[in-house]
Amino acid sequence: MKNCQEFFAGGNTCRGFHSLFHYIPGPETSRVIILKGGPGTGKSTLMKQVGQQAREKGLFTELFYCSSDQHSLDGLSVPALGLVMLDGTAPHVIDPKIPGAYDEIINLGDCWDAAALRPFKEEIAALIRKNGEWFTQAYQYLQEAGIVLEKMRYFMRQAMDYPALVQMTHRLLSQLVGSLPPATANRQERHLFGGAITPGGLLNFYQSIFHDIKRYYLLIGDHGSGKSTLLRQVNEAVAGAGHDTVVYHCAFDPERFDAVVIPSLQTAFVKATYPHSFTPPSSQPLQEQHTLALSRFANATVLKSFAAERAESQDRFWYLLEKAVTMIRSAKENHDQLEAFYTRSIDFSKVAAIRQKLISLI
């Protein structure tokens, strides 16, 4: 999408729902609009329309999609206007911190006819309860998959020559820090998700978030070979040198990193093994591309001794992940039924008036 970047700010992970919404506003943000209201009240549509208006005026926008419905927005930022809009409903409940002066609530629930909803109270309650059950099962499957993944890391750790990996890392970080320009004042560090586990499976926005990158370091290697650790060390080294970074967390386990971007160098360090594989966007000419194969530090004989267990664990992991996706997809289908009740009760002329007022103010 032209003049725009796309991200996820929350994720369905092996640790449950994980929110990075507090990283959406930046130092340039002067106004945060928090949208409240039930499903189907038009929060995502309102943000999409405001974002479209901003892009038509030539303004750069950031779109933050919902991991439980990859076609819906959870957030919007227009940095040039200092504007952020957020969906402040569960599971990412957000309330004003400096009401009126910095952030404010717009309740789209004011646009619905409560009398039209009351006859369907039992059906709505059942759908809400069922939604919670689907997500509980999804997170149980993801948690179980996390245990299997840790077993896969264990096998890899038995084979790794970590002293040799440390030596390579030291050389790499020394070169990286040496190539940095003078430090910037008021260094910023932002944390987001570049991908998510969604009803449509594993998705990422790498084509969007790497649109201005000229230099790539692609990290490949099996689980346990040290990719996330290396990314953390890259971030710490660049931070220690006083430079901005953008950290993209793992969609499966948010305590791990999938990528680190260094804006001052237009450089990205990124995992490039499935499902992180991607093609660098053609919008920016590529100057350099380096592949860091961390599995080369593993003893092939040791790995071969675990071959059967590794294959079994890998099959089990993907089976559990697919089960989790099925649960998230079922929750989405359930949510669509819930939205239908609210959509029928909404006075969209009132929503349109709110949108027009917002656009006029912006």
Side-chain angles (χ1 to χ4, degrees), residues 62-134:
E62 295 179 330
L63 303 178
F64 300 87
Y65 283 85
C66 174
S67 57
S68 299
D69 179 359
Q70 67 272 22
H71 303 297
S72 293
L73 284 186
D74 271 347
L76 164 74
S77 174
V78 188
L81 298 178
L83 172 71
V84 165
M85 297 179 70
L86 301 172
D87 181 339
T89 58
H92 35 77
V93 177
I94 303 166
D95 290 309
K97 295 179 180 178
I98 314 175
Y102 176 71
D103 39 15
E104 61 186 282
I105 289 176
I106 292 179
N107 186 7
L108 297 182
D110 292 338
C111 301
W112 67 40
D113 180 1
L117 290 169
R118 289 191 191 102
F120 303 102
K121 175 184 173 182
E122 297 303 323
E123 292 94 327
I124 291 172
L127 287 168
I128 291 173
R129 183 171 60 253
K130 192 63 181 176
N131 224 51
E133 292 171 0
W134 287 125

Side-chain angles (χ1 to χ4, degrees), residues 174-188:
S174 296
Q175 294 170 2
L176 176 64
V177 171
S179 69
L180 289 166
T184 57
N186 302 318
R187 156 181 198 277
Q188 300 294 322

